[in-house]
Structure formats: C-alpha cells, structure tokens
Amino acid sequence: MSREEPGYPRAVDLRAAVDRDGPHVVVSTAGEIDLWSADLLREALHDADQPNPDVLVVDLREATFLDSTGLGVLAGALRRQRERGNYLALVVSQGSISKVLAITGMDRVFPIFDTPEDAWKSLSEDQPSGAPNGQQSDSA
Amino acid sequence: MASSPTLRNGVMEEKSTGTSVIIEIDAQSSLVAVLRAAASTLATRLEFTLDEIDDLRIAVDEAASLLLQQTQKGDTLRCNLDLQDKVIHCRLSAPSNEADLALEGFGWVVLNVVADDITVSQVDGRSEIRLTTKRAVMQD
C-alpha cells in the first residue's frame, strides 16, 4: 500500500535531503508528508542514522502538510535517538504542522526550535561532554 | 502488468441545497493528495479561513488513510463532499475487507479534533466515514 508500481502519478511532492556536518545532521523536508510520502521521510531518517548522530534535526519549515502517518515516523526516529541517549529535534514554522503536533500532544514530546542552529546550540550544550556517540545510557 | 492509478471520476453538480462533489480514486496512498487538494479548493470557495481549510485537509487525509488500511489492489475510494453555506459534509468510503476499522492511534485522535459529527459505518460491504467541518460565523 505504501509504495505503488512505477507509473503512479506524483500527486504528493515531498523532497527530503540529509545534510551531515560532523555530529550534527539535519534532514530537510519540503512538500507534503502523508501516508504515501512518509516512506521517503523514513528513508531519509534511516540515511541520517548512518552513522547515528548525537543531534538529529528534522527541518519541517518547508513542509506544507504533516499527517498522523508522518508523525508516527518522526516519533519512531525520536524513540531510537533517545534509546541511544541522543537527540532528535524538530524545526517548525508552518501553522498546519504546529497544529498537528499540538493536537496529538507531541509538541511537548519533541524539542522544537525555530532554526537548526538553535537546536544544535541548545542540545549540544545539553549533551554530556566527552560521551562517546551512541554509548550513553538512558535509563529512562 | 502494473496499472497506473487514475483519477476515475470527478463530478460537480449544482443542487438546490448546495454543491456536491464526488471524487473516486484508486485506493492508493499516492492519490490521497488529490482528495486533500479538492477539499482545500472547495473550502476556499466557501471562504473558510486558512485554519478551517487546514482542518478539512487533515480530516479528509486521516479519514482516507484509515480506510486505506483495509483496501486491496483494484479497490476504489470514494469521497463525497457536500457543500452548504457554512458547512462541508464529507463522506468517504472504501471496500471493507475486515470487520472493523482500527479506530485508534494518532490518526483517529487527530480526526476527532479537526472534524465534527464523525460516524463510522458499514454500508454495502464498504466502510464509510462521515464527518463535518464548519466555517466560523464571522462577526460584523
């Protein structure tokens, strides 16, 4: 269901790119994140995880739509980051996306920032210095 | 051979009580964006606010996504949009291959926040979700 045969019309336009800068990785999205395109986001997050970053930022400022399927993909990535003692932050500006985050209460679960730089600055300061990537224990 | 999905039908007819739009798509996640776009266009025509248009887009998307959980290749998903002066009644249906829709998770939560008067039923072997979105009464 999630990915049809070649030749399907691209009614959904989502672009996702991974930009890696040392321990900081940002996944930038543009377009609509829904039942179909959530797979593209999932793939981008998987790429961003090789190797696993201390701080993974998902930039949703150019995304115009996010539904519960896309939110589920983001929640899964957040869980994986937390299990390793690392961070996942969202950068959000669009009203519709903020609304979905608020409706589901996920605006209190994800760290949310105005820019990737704000996320890096805030969360990097949080990160215990010298802790090897992926080796911190999160007992919670 | 793989068949490409098609927008099978798009009908707009004027009624004395309002305007009715019926869209039938192949039951493929890549085409849900077509329903969102149509709903958004119609809500704009009724002078819904941007916030209300967002609600309708999300509602149609989540309802369609729920229905697509049960569909199989070759099924169709039908979306009826009945436009009244300040209200859009949506009726989405698709063949039901299981007893009940999974009315849980993020999608169901979101749907219940952005839409009113939600009912789920089985009609002639199809699952049907009805919902309403309303335009706020403008203050003079």
mmCIF file of all heavy atoms in Angstrom, chain B residues 74-127:
data_model
loop_
_atom_site.group_PDB
_atom_site.id
_atom_site.type_symbol
_atom_site.label_atom_id
_atom_site.label_comp_id
_atom_site.label_asym_id
_atom_site.label_seq_id
_atom_site.Cartn_x
_atom_site.Cartn_y
_atom_site.Cartn_z
ATOM 1 N N GLY B 74 -6.897 -2.681 -6.673
ATOM 2 C CA GLY B 74 -8.078 -2.706 -7.517
ATOM 3 C C GLY B 74 -9.299 -2.081 -6.875
ATOM 4 O O GLY B 74 -10.295 -1.807 -7.550
ATOM 5 N N ASP B 75 -9.227 -1.840 -5.549
ATOM 6 C CA ASP B 75 -10.348 -1.182 -4.874
ATOM 7 C C ASP B 75 -10.379 0.306 -5.225
ATOM 8 O O ASP B 75 -9.378 0.866 -5.690
ATOM 9 C CB ASP B 75 -10.214 -1.329 -3.354
ATOM 10 C CG ASP B 75 -10.488 -2.747 -2.873
ATOM 11 O OD1 ASP B 75 -11.072 -3.527 -3.652
ATOM 12 O OD2 ASP B 75 -10.121 -3.068 -1.726
ATOM 13 N N THR B 76 -11.507 0.900 -4.964
ATOM 14 C CA THR B 76 -11.613 2.342 -5.145
ATOM 15 C C THR B 76 -12.030 3.003 -3.843
ATOM 16 O O THR B 76 -12.677 2.386 -2.999
ATOM 17 C CB THR B 76 -12.655 2.723 -6.226
ATOM 18 O OG1 THR B 76 -13.915 2.190 -5.853
ATOM 19 C CG2 THR B 76 -12.248 2.192 -7.580
ATOM 20 N N LEU B 77 -11.635 4.236 -3.701
ATOM 21 C CA LEU B 77 -12.016 5.034 -2.538
ATOM 22 C C LEU B 77 -12.852 6.204 -3.052
ATOM 23 O O LEU B 77 -12.429 6.904 -3.966
ATOM 24 C CB LEU B 77 -10.773 5.527 -1.803
ATOM 25 C CG LEU B 77 -10.961 6.155 -0.411
ATOM 26 C CD1 LEU B 77 -9.687 6.034 0.408
ATOM 27 C CD2 LEU B 77 -11.385 7.608 -0.492
ATOM 28 N N ARG B 78 -14.023 6.341 -2.476
ATOM 29 C CA ARG B 78 -14.940 7.384 -2.941
ATOM 30 C C ARG B 78 -15.050 8.475 -1.884
ATOM 31 O O ARG B 78 -15.130 8.193 -0.689
ATOM 32 C CB ARG B 78 -16.329 6.781 -3.198
ATOM 33 C CG ARG B 78 -17.292 7.729 -3.899
ATOM 34 C CD ARG B 78 -18.611 7.015 -4.166
ATOM 35 N NE ARG B 78 -18.417 5.781 -4.903
ATOM 36 C CZ ARG B 78 -19.069 4.647 -4.639
ATOM 37 N NH1 ARG B 78 -19.959 4.595 -3.682
ATOM 38 N NH2 ARG B 78 -18.843 3.564 -5.353
ATOM 39 N N CYS B 79 -15.056 9.682 -2.362
ATOM 40 C CA CYS B 79 -15.147 10.838 -1.458
ATOM 41 C C CYS B 79 -16.254 11.761 -1.954
ATOM 42 O O CYS B 79 -16.179 12.273 -3.074
ATOM 43 C CB CYS B 79 -13.812 11.583 -1.424
ATOM 44 S SG CYS B 79 -13.819 13.081 -0.435
ATOM 45 N N ASN B 80 -17.283 11.901 -1.144
ATOM 46 C CA ASN B 80 -18.367 12.830 -1.466
ATOM 47 C C ASN B 80 -18.217 14.068 -0.586
ATOM 48 O O ASN B 80 -18.098 13.953 0.628
ATOM 49 C CB ASN B 80 -19.735 12.220 -1.142
ATOM 50 C CG ASN B 80 -20.081 11.065 -2.043
ATOM 51 O OD1 ASN B 80 -19.236 10.209 -2.294
ATOM 52 N ND2 ASN B 80 -21.312 11.029 -2.511
ATOM 53 N N LEU B 81 -18.234 15.208 -1.214
ATOM 54 C CA LEU B 81 -18.156 16.464 -0.469
ATOM 55 C C LEU B 81 -19.418 17.261 -0.780
ATOM 56 O O LEU B 81 -19.663 17.622 -1.932
ATOM 57 C CB LEU B 81 -16.917 17.258 -0.887
ATOM 58 C CG LEU B 81 -15.569 16.558 -0.673
ATOM 59 C CD1 LEU B 81 -14.451 17.290 -1.408
ATOM 60 C CD2 LEU B 81 -15.247 16.461 0.808
ATOM 61 N N ASP B 82 -20.224 17.478 0.232
ATOM 62 C CA ASP B 82 -21.451 18.259 0.078
ATOM 63 C C ASP B 82 -21.242 19.614 0.720
ATOM 64 O O ASP B 82 -21.027 19.710 1.926
ATOM 65 C CB ASP B 82 -22.636 17.538 0.719
ATOM 66 C CG ASP B 82 -23.079 16.347 -0.104
ATOM 67 O OD1 ASP B 82 -23.149 16.493 -1.339
ATOM 68 O OD2 ASP B 82 -23.340 15.292 0.485
ATOM 69 N N LEU B 83 -21.330 20.627 -0.114
ATOM 70 C CA LEU B 83 -21.048 21.977 0.359
ATOM 71 C C LEU B 83 -22.341 22.709 0.659
ATOM 72 O O LEU B 83 -23.193 22.867 -0.231
ATOM 73 C CB LEU B 83 -20.277 22.763 -0.703
ATOM 74 C CG LEU B 83 -18.799 22.443 -0.916
ATOM 75 C CD1 LEU B 83 -18.563 21.017 -1.348
ATOM 76 C CD2 LEU B 83 -18.209 23.405 -1.936
ATOM 77 N N GLN B 84 -22.483 23.134 1.870
ATOM 78 C CA GLN B 84 -23.574 24.016 2.247
ATOM 79 C C GLN B 84 -22.976 25.402 2.488
ATOM 80 O O GLN B 84 -21.787 25.619 2.261
ATOM 81 C CB GLN B 84 -24.262 23.485 3.504
ATOM 82 C CG GLN B 84 -24.717 22.031 3.395
ATOM 83 C CD GLN B 84 -25.797 21.832 2.353
ATOM 84 O OE1 GLN B 84 -26.631 22.716 2.140
ATOM 85 N NE2 GLN B 84 -25.801 20.679 1.707
ATOM 86 N N ASP B 85 -23.789 26.284 2.975
ATOM 87 C CA ASP B 85 -23.326 27.658 3.131
ATOM 88 C C ASP B 85 -22.129 27.773 4.072
ATOM 89 O O ASP B 85 -21.124 28.399 3.751
ATOM 90 C CB ASP B 85 -24.479 28.525 3.641
ATOM 91 C CG ASP B 85 -24.060 29.984 3.732
ATOM 92 O OD1 ASP B 85 -23.177 30.382 2.949
ATOM 93 O OD2 ASP B 85 -24.607 30.702 4.582
ATOM 94 N N LYS B 86 -22.242 27.145 5.227
ATOM 95 C CA LYS B 86 -21.180 27.279 6.229
ATOM 96 C C LYS B 86 -20.623 25.929 6.656
ATOM 97 O O LYS B 86 -19.861 25.849 7.623
ATOM 98 C CB LYS B 86 -21.726 28.000 7.469
ATOM 99 C CG LYS B 86 -22.196 29.428 7.209
ATOM 100 C CD LYS B 86 -22.686 30.068 8.480
ATOM 101 C CE LYS B 86 -23.079 31.514 8.257
ATOM 102 N NZ LYS B 86 -24.222 31.662 7.324
ATOM 103 N N VAL B 87 -21.004 24.883 5.950
ATOM 104 C CA VAL B 87 -20.642 23.533 6.371
ATOM 105 C C VAL B 87 -20.233 22.699 5.161
ATOM 106 O O VAL B 87 -20.798 22.843 4.075
ATOM 107 C CB VAL B 87 -21.859 22.844 7.058
ATOM 108 C CG1 VAL B 87 -21.512 21.416 7.445
ATOM 109 C CG2 VAL B 87 -22.301 23.625 8.275
ATOM 110 N N ILE B 88 -19.240 21.842 5.357
ATOM 111 C CA ILE B 88 -18.921 20.829 4.353
ATOM 112 C C ILE B 88 -19.123 19.460 4.998
ATOM 113 O O ILE B 88 -18.504 19.150 6.025
ATOM 114 C CB ILE B 88 -17.482 20.965 3.840
ATOM 115 C CG1 ILE B 88 -17.306 22.311 3.116
ATOM 116 C CG2 ILE B 88 -17.140 19.809 2.885
ATOM 117 C CD1 ILE B 88 -15.908 22.544 2.570
ATOM 118 N N HIS B 89 -20.020 18.688 4.412
ATOM 119 C CA HIS B 89 -20.230 17.316 4.862
ATOM 120 C C HIS B 89 -19.383 16.408 3.977
ATOM 121 O O HIS B 89 -19.507 16.442 2.744
ATOM 122 C CB HIS B 89 -21.702 16.911 4.731
ATOM 123 C CG HIS B 89 -22.629 17.750 5.548
ATOM 124 N ND1 HIS B 89 -22.744 17.626 6.912
ATOM 125 C CD2 HIS B 89 -23.488 18.735 5.194
ATOM 126 C CE1 HIS B 89 -23.631 18.495 7.361
ATOM 127 N NE2 HIS B 89 -24.097 19.188 6.336
ATOM 128 N N CYS B 90 -18.548 15.588 4.605
ATOM 129 C CA CYS B 90 -17.685 14.672 3.860
ATOM 130 C C CYS B 90 -18.128 13.242 4.125
ATOM 131 O O CYS B 90 -18.449 12.881 5.255
ATOM 132 C CB CYS B 90 -16.227 14.818 4.296
ATOM 133 S SG CYS B 90 -15.592 16.495 4.213
ATOM 134 N N ARG B 91 -18.133 12.476 3.074
ATOM 135 C CA ARG B 91 -18.471 11.054 3.209
ATOM 136 C C ARG B 91 -17.440 10.279 2.399
ATOM 137 O O ARG B 91 -17.398 10.371 1.180
ATOM 138 C CB ARG B 91 -19.888 10.822 2.684
ATOM 139 C CG ARG B 91 -20.511 9.540 3.138
ATOM 140 C CD ARG B 91 -22.013 9.528 2.920
ATOM 141 N NE ARG B 91 -22.396 9.262 1.538
ATOM 142 C CZ ARG B 91 -23.012 10.124 0.746
ATOM 143 N NH1 ARG B 91 -23.345 11.313 1.184
ATOM 144 N NH2 ARG B 91 -23.319 9.796 -0.486
ATOM 145 N N LEU B 92 -16.588 9.554 3.089
ATOM 146 C CA LEU B 92 -15.547 8.774 2.417
ATOM 147 C C LEU B 92 -15.832 7.299 2.628
ATOM 148 O O LEU B 92 -16.166 6.874 3.738
ATOM 149 C CB LEU B 92 -14.165 9.108 2.969
ATOM 150 C CG LEU B 92 -13.671 10.539 2.732
ATOM 151 C CD1 LEU B 92 -13.939 11.408 3.949
ATOM 152 C CD2 LEU B 92 -12.182 10.550 2.417
ATOM 153 N N SER B 93 -15.680 6.515 1.572
ATOM 154 C CA SER B 93 -15.939 5.086 1.723
ATOM 155 C C SER B 93 -15.006 4.274 0.835
ATOM 156 O O SER B 93 -14.512 4.753 -0.188
ATOM 157 C CB SER B 93 -17.397 4.770 1.381
ATOM 158 O OG SER B 93 -17.625 4.941 0.004
ATOM 159 N N ALA B 94 -14.773 3.046 1.279
ATOM 160 C CA ALA B 94 -13.932 2.119 0.525
ATOM 161 C C ALA B 94 -14.345 0.705 0.901
ATOM 162 O O ALA B 94 -14.924 0.490 1.973
ATOM 163 C CB ALA B 94 -12.459 2.348 0.840
ATOM 164 N N PRO B 95 -14.071 -0.272 0.035
ATOM 165 C CA PRO B 95 -14.416 -1.651 0.371
ATOM 166 C C PRO B 95 -13.792 -2.055 1.699
ATOM 167 O O PRO B 95 -12.658 -1.698 1.999
ATOM 168 C CB PRO B 95 -13.817 -2.457 -0.780
ATOM 169 C CG PRO B 95 -13.777 -1.510 -1.919
ATOM 170 C CD PRO B 95 -13.481 -0.171 -1.303
ATOM 171 N N SER B 96 -14.556 -2.794 2.456
ATOM 172 C CA SER B 96 -14.089 -3.217 3.766
ATOM 173 C C SER B 96 -13.736 -4.686 3.709
ATOM 174 O O SER B 96 -14.588 -5.524 3.449
ATOM 175 C CB SER B 96 -15.189 -2.980 4.802
ATOM 176 O OG SER B 96 -14.808 -3.499 6.031
ATOM 177 N N ASN B 97 -12.480 -4.985 3.936
ATOM 178 C CA ASN B 97 -12.037 -6.364 3.879
ATOM 179 C C ASN B 97 -11.833 -6.954 5.267
ATOM 180 O O ASN B 97 -11.354 -8.059 5.419
ATOM 181 C CB ASN B 97 -10.743 -6.457 3.072
ATOM 182 C CG ASN B 97 -10.975 -5.983 1.651
ATOM 183 O OD1 ASN B 97 -11.829 -6.507 0.950
ATOM 184 N ND2 ASN B 97 -10.257 -4.957 1.240
ATOM 185 N N GLU B 98 -12.157 -6.176 6.262
ATOM 186 C CA GLU B 98 -12.103 -6.668 7.632
ATOM 187 C C GLU B 98 -13.376 -6.208 8.328
ATOM 188 O O GLU B 98 -14.155 -5.424 7.784
ATOM 189 C CB GLU B 98 -10.878 -6.117 8.357
ATOM 190 C CG GLU B 98 -9.561 -6.589 7.758
ATOM 191 C CD GLU B 98 -8.378 -5.859 8.359
ATOM 192 O OE1 GLU B 98 -8.457 -5.498 9.540
ATOM 193 O OE2 GLU B 98 -7.409 -5.647 7.626
ATOM 194 N N ALA B 99 -13.565 -6.697 9.538
ATOM 195 C CA ALA B 99 -14.816 -6.386 10.232
ATOM 196 C C ALA B 99 -14.921 -4.905 10.580
ATOM 197 O O ALA B 99 -15.904 -4.247 10.282
ATOM 198 C CB ALA B 99 -14.923 -7.231 11.489
ATOM 199 N N ASP B 100 -13.877 -4.382 11.178
ATOM 200 C CA ASP B 100 -13.962 -3.015 11.665
ATOM 201 C C ASP B 100 -12.689 -2.245 11.333
ATOM 202 O O ASP B 100 -11.609 -2.818 11.270
ATOM 203 C CB ASP B 100 -14.149 -2.993 13.186
ATOM 204 C CG ASP B 100 -15.472 -3.624 13.601
ATOM 205 O OD1 ASP B 100 -16.513 -3.154 13.115
ATOM 206 O OD2 ASP B 100 -15.429 -4.569 14.393
ATOM 207 N N LEU B 101 -12.852 -0.949 11.163
ATOM 208 C CA LEU B 101 -11.678 -0.097 11.019
ATOM 209 C C LEU B 101 -10.976 0.003 12.364
ATOM 210 O O LEU B 101 -11.600 -0.077 13.417
ATOM 211 C CB LEU B 101 -12.091 1.309 10.576
ATOM 212 C CG LEU B 101 -12.569 1.482 9.139
ATOM 213 C CD1 LEU B 101 -13.055 2.912 8.956
ATOM 214 C CD2 LEU B 101 -11.450 1.179 8.172
ATOM 215 N N ALA B 102 -9.670 0.183 12.323
ATOM 216 C CA ALA B 102 -8.907 0.369 13.563
ATOM 217 C C ALA B 102 -9.039 1.827 13.979
ATOM 218 O O ALA B 102 -8.299 2.684 13.507
ATOM 219 C CB ALA B 102 -7.443 -0.008 13.341
ATOM 220 N N LEU B 103 -10.012 2.083 14.841
ATOM 221 C CA LEU B 103 -10.273 3.464 15.244
ATOM 222 C C LEU B 103 -9.439 3.788 16.477
ATOM 223 O O LEU B 103 -9.944 3.905 17.595
ATOM 224 C CB LEU B 103 -11.766 3.659 15.500
ATOM 225 C CG LEU B 103 -12.651 3.294 14.313
ATOM 226 C CD1 LEU B 103 -14.116 3.489 14.647
ATOM 227 C CD2 LEU B 103 -12.278 4.135 13.090
ATOM 228 N N GLU B 104 -8.156 3.934 16.264
ATOM 229 C CA GLU B 104 -7.235 4.200 17.356
ATOM 230 C C GLU B 104 -5.983 4.843 16.775
ATOM 231 O O GLU B 104 -5.841 4.960 15.561
ATOM 232 C CB GLU B 104 -6.864 2.892 18.070
ATOM 233 C CG GLU B 104 -6.264 1.865 17.109
ATOM 234 C CD GLU B 104 -6.116 0.498 17.749
ATOM 235 O OE1 GLU B 104 -6.682 0.283 18.827
ATOM 236 O OE2 GLU B 104 -5.413 -0.341 17.153
ATOM 237 N N GLY B 105 -5.094 5.226 17.655
ATOM 238 C CA GLY B 105 -3.816 5.794 17.208
ATOM 239 C C GLY B 105 -3.910 7.279 16.898
ATOM 240 O O GLY B 105 -4.957 7.915 17.055
ATOM 241 N N PHE B 106 -2.785 7.818 16.453
ATOM 242 C CA PHE B 106 -2.694 9.241 16.140
ATOM 243 C C PHE B 106 -3.794 9.684 15.172
ATOM 244 O O PHE B 106 -4.395 10.735 15.334
ATOM 245 C CB PHE B 106 -1.352 9.553 15.484
ATOM 246 C CG PHE B 106 -0.200 9.688 16.429
ATOM 247 C CD1 PHE B 106 1.071 9.311 16.038
ATOM 248 C CD2 PHE B 106 -0.373 10.219 17.698
ATOM 249 C CE1 PHE B 106 2.148 9.440 16.889
ATOM 250 C CE2 PHE B 106 0.691 10.349 18.567
ATOM 251 C CZ PHE B 106 1.956 9.953 18.159
ATOM 252 N N GLY B 107 -4.003 8.879 14.136
ATOM 253 C CA GLY B 107 -4.937 9.277 13.084
ATOM 254 C C GLY B 107 -6.337 9.504 13.601
ATOM 255 O O GLY B 107 -6.994 10.494 13.263
ATOM 256 N N TRP B 108 -6.786 8.609 14.428
ATOM 257 C CA TRP B 108 -8.145 8.717 14.977
ATOM 258 C C TRP B 108 -8.233 9.901 15.937
ATOM 259 O O TRP B 108 -9.234 10.622 15.957
ATOM 260 C CB TRP B 108 -8.511 7.399 15.671
ATOM 261 C CG TRP B 108 -9.890 7.336 16.206
ATOM 262 C CD1 TRP B 108 -10.253 7.154 17.513
ATOM 263 C CD2 TRP B 108 -11.120 7.458 15.470
ATOM 264 N NE1 TRP B 108 -11.614 7.153 17.633
ATOM 265 C CE2 TRP B 108 -12.177 7.347 16.394
ATOM 266 C CE3 TRP B 108 -11.426 7.665 14.122
ATOM 267 C CZ2 TRP B 108 -13.515 7.418 16.007
ATOM 268 C CZ3 TRP B 108 -12.758 7.742 13.727
ATOM 269 C CH2 TRP B 108 -13.787 7.616 14.669
ATOM 270 N N VAL B 109 -7.180 10.110 16.722
ATOM 271 C CA VAL B 109 -7.148 11.257 17.637
ATOM 272 C C VAL B 109 -7.233 12.562 16.851
ATOM 273 O O VAL B 109 -8.041 13.446 17.148
ATOM 274 C CB VAL B 109 -5.846 11.244 18.477
ATOM 275 C CG1 VAL B 109 -5.677 12.553 19.252
ATOM 276 C CG2 VAL B 109 -5.842 10.060 19.439
ATOM 277 N N VAL B 110 -6.409 12.656 15.824
ATOM 278 C CA VAL B 110 -6.374 13.883 15.026
ATOM 279 C C VAL B 110 -7.730 14.123 14.358
ATOM 280 O O VAL B 110 -8.275 15.232 14.388
ATOM 281 C CB VAL B 110 -5.266 13.791 13.955
ATOM 282 C CG1 VAL B 110 -5.368 14.949 12.981
ATOM 283 C CG2 VAL B 110 -3.887 13.768 14.615
ATOM 284 N N LEU B 111 -8.285 13.070 13.795
ATOM 285 C CA LEU B 111 -9.570 13.209 13.094
ATOM 286 C C LEU B 111 -10.644 13.770 14.023
ATOM 287 O O LEU B 111 -11.442 14.627 13.642
ATOM 288 C CB LEU B 111 -9.993 11.842 12.540
ATOM 289 C CG LEU B 111 -11.265 11.810 11.690
ATOM 290 C CD1 LEU B 111 -11.133 12.726 10.488
ATOM 291 C CD2 LEU B 111 -11.559 10.381 11.248
ATOM 292 N N ASN B 112 -10.650 13.283 15.254
ATOM 293 C CA ASN B 112 -11.685 13.716 16.194
ATOM 294 C C ASN B 112 -11.502 15.139 16.683
ATOM 295 O O ASN B 112 -12.444 15.736 17.201
ATOM 296 C CB ASN B 112 -11.749 12.745 17.387
ATOM 297 C CG ASN B 112 -12.591 11.522 17.074
ATOM 298 O OD1 ASN B 112 -13.807 11.549 17.219
ATOM 299 N ND2 ASN B 112 -11.943 10.464 16.586
ATOM 300 N N VAL B 113 -10.310 15.680 16.511
ATOM 301 C CA VAL B 113 -10.095 17.072 16.901
ATOM 302 C C VAL B 113 -10.465 18.020 15.758
ATOM 303 O O VAL B 113 -11.060 19.069 15.978
ATOM 304 C CB VAL B 113 -8.632 17.297 17.332
ATOM 305 C CG1 VAL B 113 -8.357 18.776 17.581
ATOM 306 C CG2 VAL B 113 -8.321 16.493 18.585
ATOM 307 N N VAL B 114 -10.147 17.644 14.543
ATOM 308 C CA VAL B 114 -10.323 18.593 13.428
ATOM 309 C C VAL B 114 -11.699 18.511 12.780
ATOM 310 O O VAL B 114 -12.051 19.382 11.987
ATOM 311 C CB VAL B 114 -9.239 18.391 12.340
ATOM 312 C CG1 VAL B 114 -7.858 18.701 12.893
ATOM 313 C CG2 VAL B 114 -9.280 16.990 11.750
ATOM 314 N N ALA B 115 -12.483 17.471 13.088
ATOM 315 C CA ALA B 115 -13.794 17.334 12.449
ATOM 316 C C ALA B 115 -14.879 17.115 13.491
ATOM 317 O O ALA B 115 -14.604 16.703 14.618
ATOM 318 C CB ALA B 115 -13.779 16.163 11.463
ATOM 319 N N ASP B 116 -16.115 17.424 13.087
ATOM 320 C CA ASP B 116 -17.275 17.225 13.960
ATOM 321 C C ASP B 116 -18.144 16.097 13.408
ATOM 322 O O ASP B 116 -18.022 15.707 12.243
ATOM 323 C CB ASP B 116 -18.113 18.509 14.022
ATOM 324 C CG ASP B 116 -17.325 19.672 14.600
ATOM 325 O OD1 ASP B 116 -16.624 19.456 15.603
ATOM 326 O OD2 ASP B 116 -17.411 20.777 14.038
ATOM 327 N N ASP B 117 -19.050 15.639 14.257
ATOM 328 C CA ASP B 117 -20.110 14.701 13.830
ATOM 329 C C ASP B 117 -19.549 13.492 13.091
ATOM 330 O O ASP B 117 -20.058 13.095 12.037
ATOM 331 C CB ASP B 117 -21.134 15.415 12.922
ATOM 332 C CG ASP B 117 -21.615 16.720 13.517
ATOM 333 O OD1 ASP B 117 -21.747 16.777 14.749
ATOM 334 O OD2 ASP B 117 -21.852 17.675 12.757
ATOM 335 N N ILE B 118 -18.519 12.892 13.633
ATOM 336 C CA ILE B 118 -17.887 11.754 12.952
ATOM 337 C C ILE B 118 -18.691 10.480 13.211
ATOM 338 O O ILE B 118 -18.999 10.149 14.356
ATOM 339 C CB ILE B 118 -16.447 11.553 13.449
ATOM 340 C CG1 ILE B 118 -15.625 12.810 13.172
ATOM 341 C CG2 ILE B 118 -15.798 10.346 12.757
ATOM 342 C CD1 ILE B 118 -14.263 12.795 13.825
ATOM 343 N N THR B 119 -19.036 9.802 12.146
ATOM 344 C CA THR B 119 -19.685 8.496 12.280
ATOM 345 C C THR B 119 -18.975 7.509 11.360
ATOM 346 O O THR B 119 -18.504 7.866 10.277
ATOM 347 C CB THR B 119 -21.177 8.542 11.914
ATOM 348 O OG1 THR B 119 -21.311 8.935 10.541
ATOM 349 C CG2 THR B 119 -21.935 9.509 12.803
ATOM 350 N N VAL B 120 -18.885 6.284 11.817
ATOM 351 C CA VAL B 120 -18.261 5.225 11.035
ATOM 352 C C VAL B 120 -19.278 4.101 10.896
ATOM 353 O O VAL B 120 -19.918 3.709 11.872
ATOM 354 C CB VAL B 120 -16.990 4.694 11.728
ATOM 355 C CG1 VAL B 120 -16.357 3.575 10.917
ATOM 356 C CG2 VAL B 120 -15.997 5.827 11.933
ATOM 357 N N SER B 121 -19.450 3.623 9.678
ATOM 358 C CA SER B 121 -20.462 2.586 9.476
ATOM 359 C C SER B 121 -20.036 1.654 8.348
ATOM 360 O O SER B 121 -19.068 1.913 7.624
ATOM 361 C CB SER B 121 -21.808 3.233 9.141
ATOM 362 O OG SER B 121 -21.683 4.009 7.958
ATOM 363 N N GLN B 122 -20.753 0.576 8.235
ATOM 364 C CA GLN B 122 -20.563 -0.364 7.139
ATOM 365 C C GLN B 122 -21.798 -0.279 6.242
ATOM 366 O O GLN B 122 -22.913 -0.453 6.718
ATOM 367 C CB GLN B 122 -20.438 -1.796 7.687
ATOM 368 C CG GLN B 122 -19.270 -2.011 8.631
ATOM 369 C CD GLN B 122 -17.985 -2.296 7.885
ATOM 370 O OE1 GLN B 122 -18.024 -2.829 6.794
ATOM 371 N NE2 GLN B 122 -16.866 -1.931 8.475
ATOM 372 N N VAL B 123 -21.571 0.019 4.983
ATOM 373 C CA VAL B 123 -22.681 0.147 4.048
ATOM 374 C C VAL B 123 -22.365 -0.654 2.792
ATOM 375 O O VAL B 123 -21.382 -0.357 2.102
ATOM 376 C CB VAL B 123 -22.941 1.632 3.669
ATOM 377 C CG1 VAL B 123 -24.103 1.724 2.688
ATOM 378 C CG2 VAL B 123 -23.212 2.460 4.909
ATOM 379 N N ASP B 124 -23.153 -1.672 2.525
ATOM 380 C CA ASP B 124 -22.992 -2.459 1.297
ATOM 381 C C ASP B 124 -21.556 -2.941 1.098
ATOM 382 O O ASP B 124 -20.978 -2.790 0.014
ATOM 383 C CB ASP B 124 -23.425 -1.627 0.076
ATOM 384 C CG ASP B 124 -24.891 -1.257 0.148
ATOM 385 O OD1 ASP B 124 -25.668 -2.042 0.743
ATOM 386 O OD2 ASP B 124 -25.254 -0.198 -0.388
ATOM 387 N N GLY B 125 -20.979 -3.504 2.143
ATOM 388 C CA GLY B 125 -19.631 -4.055 2.022
ATOM 389 C C GLY B 125 -18.531 -3.019 2.000
ATOM 390 O O GLY B 125 -17.381 -3.344 1.706
ATOM 391 N N ARG B 126 -18.884 -1.781 2.265
ATOM 392 C CA ARG B 126 -17.877 -0.722 2.305
ATOM 393 C C ARG B 126 -17.876 -0.074 3.685
ATOM 394 O O ARG B 126 -18.925 0.074 4.312
ATOM 395 C CB ARG B 126 -18.173 0.360 1.254
ATOM 396 C CG ARG B 126 -18.139 -0.145 -0.174
ATOM 397 C CD ARG B 126 -18.622 0.913 -1.146
ATOM 398 N NE ARG B 126 -17.694 2.021 -1.310
ATOM 399 C CZ ARG B 126 -16.703 2.029 -2.204
ATOM 400 N NH1 ARG B 126 -16.519 0.994 -3.000
ATOM 401 N NH2 ARG B 126 -15.910 3.068 -2.317
ATOM 402 N N SER B 127 -16.691 0.286 4.140
ATOM 403 C CA SER B 127 -16.594 1.107 5.341
ATOM 404 C C SER B 127 -16.810 2.548 4.934
ATOM 405 O O SER B 127 -16.316 2.986 3.895
ATOM 406 C CB SER B 127 -15.213 0.969 5.989
ATOM 407 O OG SER B 127 -15.050 -0.306 6.537
#
